Amino acid sequence: MNITGKNLIAGEWSGDTSNGFSAMNAITNQTMNEMFADANEQEIDQAINKASQAFVTYSQLSAEKRAGFLRTIGEQILALGDDLVNMACAETGLPAMRIQGERGRTIGQLGLFANLLESGEYQAVVDLADANRAPLPKPETRLGYLPLGPVAVFAASNFPLAFSTAGGDTASALAAGCPVVMKAHAAHPGTAELVAQAISKAIEICGIDAGVFSLIQGKNYGISSQIVTHPMIKAVGFTGSERVGMILQRQINERAEPIPFYGELGSVNPQFILENKLAEDAKELAQGLVASLMMAQGQFCTSPGIWAYVADEHAATFENAASQAISETAAGVMLTPGIAVSYNNAVKQWQGIAGVECLAQGKSPSAEQIHFCSAALFATDLATFKDNKTLHEEVFGSSALIVRCKSQVELMAFISLLKGNLTASIHASEKDLPMAQQVALAAAHKVGRLIYNQMPTGVEVCASMNHGGPFPASTQIRSTSVGSEAIKRFQRPICYQNMPNELLPELLKI
């Protein structure tokens, strides 16, 4: 395994690592050996200019050739073998099985778009002319889609493969015909470089302009600003915090040419537990929710952060089972020391709110476990929840809040208080269906994916998936970052009217 620590600028490795930064080993909390360069303004400008130049030829590449390119990227990622798994595990603290699964998903996403391109899934719409229509003849019109241009993608901290260098944003942008300038996450720069090496090799194998992909490393906040405000960048994909996302959104809004900003910023993924379900499955449901919460130590964008029900005689059984399950959980490693600090601060803040009860906490970390954190379960009533906006915010980690409602009317009022979310789940029995209908009608306006009797953690990569939602779950309510529809974020419609065949793009020709 050879890590240069440099930026990949249109096929060339560039940068000074002597004054750069290092990743942290998430388990040992020790600085890793590799040094990485902070990209400078000239390198960023060069990467974007090269992407703009590459757009001329790459946007004209046939669907079959783009599909072959995507598949070759997947093959080269797989060829990295254990080097990629070991690096990602060290930088994130995630277990090897999780990284292996995420690698499979990443390759699967690339394959999904390749299959769709080859099968002609993204077909044009053709309305033929009708010279006999009265009172005026009908012209021939053909609706197709054009790639937007160079796209900037920001890697996510919690998915070092599936939402990072060759993740869903990159795959869908490349499928659409857009070159990608990738901003690596500073928490896993070694993983990012290895995947970038795989993409670079695929570019070479497929004979594509090297400007179609560049990797930008760095911890300097100015890098992100320069990327999103560059006039040649035509869209941005971002997964991260609401605070950073809104800074980038403001900067994009101030551009002379505003561009789409596809930001995924946060979600509490509420869980609605209805009366009969609570009576029938209190213990099992509590254990299932805790298990879902503890996946990756709660560092999933779909982690169940708020659980709500009408508190009755069965609520104690549920809360006791959930509290016991939480108390038995071991402290877990967080992705970065900064995330660990933010999580612990949020837990302490909740503990200080009047009307909020801490039901249980997981086992404490040892002295050696520097940025390990303990799970926590809290409970409150609707009035306290309504009056404390802090309780409405996502806590990135294994902390959940139970909202005890006094009636079904209060449960519906609770739904009205929620901000936008990626998901919500309705846990109900057949006897609960009348109430479930009311909950579903209200909750559908708060989420991008509504789930019945299943946990929210996990996203299926398929044509019918929507991974987005009302703000702040995402900044573009009409889009998804997962599934075959994700490609549409990086295209725009164009109608050709009365065009001769010679002037039409290949997809629109007869």
Side-chain angles (χ1 to χ4, degrees):
M1 179 179 64
N2 179 33
I3 297 292
T4 70
K6 297 183 177 183
N7 306 286
L8 177 63
I9 310 295
E12 301 292 332
W13 295 98
S14 172
D16 179 9
T17 63
S18 61
N19 293 314
F21 67 99
S22 296
M24 298 289 291
N25 185 302
I27 302 296
T28 66
N29 201 44
Q30 299 297 312
T31 301
M32 296 179 69
N33 294 329
E34 298 85 0
M35 292 288 293
F36 295 89
D38 267 311
N40 59 39
E41 292 183 4
Q42 292 73 28
E43 289 166 333
I44 297 167
D45 192 58
Q46 183 183 8
I48 297 173
N49 283 324
K50 290 289 187 181
S52 184
Q53 294 168 19
F55 178 66
V56 176
T57 56
Y58 186 68
S59 62
Q60 297 298 313
L61 212 60
S62 70
E64 290 75 18
K65 288 185 178 179
R66 270 180 280 145
F69 176 42
L70 295 174
R71 282 209 178 85
T72 304
I73 294 174
E75 292 166 0
Q76 293 305 309
I77 290 173
L78 190 60
L80 293 170
D82 289 343
D83 285 345
L84 178 62
V85 175
N86 294 338
M87 176 62 76
C89 289
E91 289 184 325
T92 65
L94 296 170
M97 186 175 294
R98 155 70 191 274
I99 296 298
Q100 289 163 354
E102 196 177 322
R103 178 178 60 185
R105 173 178 165 178
T106 303
I107 295 170
Q109 289 174 155
L110 292 162
L112 169 71
F113 287 110
N115 290 339
L116 294 171
L117 288 170
E118 289 176 337
S119 66
E121 175 71 18
Y122 304 110
Q123 292 289 349
V125 178
V126 178
D127 284 313
L128 297 177
D130 182 0
N132 297 318
R133 192 185 70 172
L136 295 173
K138 178 183 178 297
E140 179 187 273
T141 52
R142 298 173 182 242
L143 181 66
Y145 293 88
L146 291 177
L148 295 179
V151 168
V153 174
F154 287 77
S157 64
N158 57 337
F159 280 86
L161 299 178
F163 276 90
S164 291
T165 311
D169 287 347
T170 298
S172 53
L174 292 175
C178 299
V180 171
V181 177
M182 161 60 61
K183 171 59 180 71
H185 199 286
H188 40 76
T191 303
E193 179 175 329
L194 288 176
V195 177
Q197 290 177 12
I199 297 174
S200 183
K201 182 65 175 176
I203 290 171
E204 181 182 345
I205 292 170
C206 296
I208 293 173
D209 188 320
V212 77
F213 179 84
S214 289
L215 178 74
I216 303 297
Q217 300 274 20
K219 298 186 77 170
N220 179 359
Y221 293 127
I223 292 173
S224 299
S225 298
Q226 184 182 350
I227 291 173
V228 302
T229 58
H230 197 288
M232 291 181 182
I233 291 295
K234 300 303 180 182
V236 177
F238 174 85
T239 301
S241 71
E242 182 176 345
R243 182 186 65 82
V244 175
M246 293 315 298
I247 291 172
L248 298 180
Q249 178 74 86
R250 285 193 293 272
Q251 292 173 339
I252 288 170
N253 290 343
E254 292 170 358
R255 288 172 48 125
E257 177 196 12
I259 59 174
F261 175 63
Y262 298 104
E264 183 188 313
L265 309 183
S267 182
V268 298
N269 307 297
Q271 305 294 293
F272 309 113
I273 306 168
L274 303 192
E275 179 183 0
N276 290 288
K277 186 68 173 178
L278 186 63
E280 295 168 10
D281 298 316
K283 185 175 180 180
E284 294 77 8
L285 186 55
Q287 292 169 340
L289 282 167
V290 171
S292 178
L293 176 69
M294 294 307 300
M295 291 182 68
Q297 203 63 21
Q299 298 170 112
F300 270 22
C301 52
T302 53
S303 186
I306 298 183
W307 314 342
Y309 50 71
V310 177
D312 58 17
E313 66 272 21
H314 303 289
T317 302
F318 175 88
E319 292 183 12
N320 289 337
S323 297
Q324 181 178 350
I326 287 286
S327 65
E328 293 172 354
T329 60
V333 63
M334 305 301 277
L335 292 161
T336 69
I339 290 174
V341 170
S342 294
Y343 172 81
N344 285 328
N345 287 342
V347 168
K348 289 178 183 177
Q349 186 176 20
W350 282 18
Q351 288 171 334
I353 297 174
V356 175
E357 177 186 1
C358 183
L359 298 180
Q361 286 191 276
K363 297 177 181 177
S364 299
S366 66
E368 294 78 24
Q369 295 173 320
I370 306 298
H371 61 278
F372 283 54
C373 291
S374 303
L377 180 64
F378 296 87
T380 192
D381 56 23
L382 181 64
T384 302
F385 180 81
K386 181 179 181 180
D387 292 342
N388 289 270
K389 299 303 182 184
T390 299
L391 300 175
H392 298 216
E393 304 300 324
E394 177 188 31
V395 174
F396 193 63
S398 53
S399 177
L401 175 69
I402 294 173
V403 178
R404 300 165 175 152
C405 299
K406 295 178 181 178
S407 64
Q408 293 181 351
V409 172
E410 278 205 359
L411 182 62
M412 297 304 294
F414 163 73
I415 297 173
S416 72
L417 295 173
L418 293 169
K419 297 197 294 185
N421 285 276
L422 293 171
T423 74
S425 297
I426 300 172
H427 301 279
S429 72
E430 188 173 349
K431 297 176 184 177
D432 291 312
L433 285 178
M435 183 60 188
Q437 288 178 322
Q438 296 182 49
V439 172
L441 285 171
H445 294 281
K446 299 289 187 175
V447 302
R449 178 163 54 112
L450 190 58
I451 303 163
Y452 187 75
N453 279 343
Q454 290 181 341
M455 300 303 164
T457 35
V459 180
E460 188 69 29
V461 182
C462 61
S464 58
M465 179 51 60
N466 181 54
H467 191 65
F471 183 85
S474 57
T475 57
Q476 296 281 342
I477 199 169
R478 296 174 181 86
S479 68
T480 176
S481 63
V482 177
S484 58
E485 292 293 293
I487 194 173
K488 295 181 179 179
R489 298 172 298 163
F490 305 118
Q491 297 174 322
R492 70 169 178 87
I494 180 171
C495 177
Y496 294 92
Q497 182 170 325
N498 201 37
M499 282 284 173
N501 215 44
E502 292 80 4
L503 299 184
L504 290 169
E506 286 299 320
L507 186 62
L508 293 177
K509 289 181 180 179
I510 297 175

